[in-house]
Amino acid sequence: MKKSFDEVNGEKVRTDKVMAELVERGVAFHHALGRTVATAYLREHAVPVEVIRRVFSSVQARRPARPARRRWR
C-alpha cells in the first residue's frame, strides 16, 4: 500500500488529496448527521477501515478539521 502522508516539522501531512477530501467530508457528516452516516459514506468511498477507526477514535488522536468552504455567495 502506498504511503499517503509525509512528515513535515514533526506533523503528518496527507499527500493523497482525494483521500484527504473524503475524510474531511466524512468528519463533516459525522458532526452534522452522526457517526453511522459518516462511517457508511467513508466505507462507500473505499476509505480503509484503519483510517475510519483512527478518524473516529478520539478527538485528540486527529488534527482539527479545516473550516468548511463556502460554496455559494
Side-chain angles (χ1 to χ4, degrees):
M1 183 172 164
K2 185 179 111 175
K3 185 173 127 180
S4 62
F5 61 88
D6 288 329
E7 195 146 335
V8 177
N9 297 329
E11 184 175 326
K12 290 183 179 179
V13 178
R14 292 185 193 108
T15 56
D16 182 347
K17 301 299 182 194
V18 173
M19 183 70 69
E21 289 297 322
L22 287 170
V23 169
E24 292 298 333
R25 192 167 296 133
V27 170
F29 284 165
H30 181 253
H31 291 295
L33 303 170
R35 187 175 187 158
T36 303
V37 172
T39 302
Y41 171 81
L42 293 173
R43 284 183 179 165
E44 188 174 302
H45 287 87
V47 174
V49 174
E50 303 82 35
V51 174
I52 295 171
R53 283 190 189 128
R54 185 172 60 246
V55 167
F56 295 139
S57 65
S58 74
V59 176
Q60 291 84 17
R62 70 179 308 274
R63 296 184 305 262
R66 293 181 306 179
R69 290 182 285 169
R70 283 184 82 172
R71 297 188 188 267
W72 64 90
R73 292 191 179 246

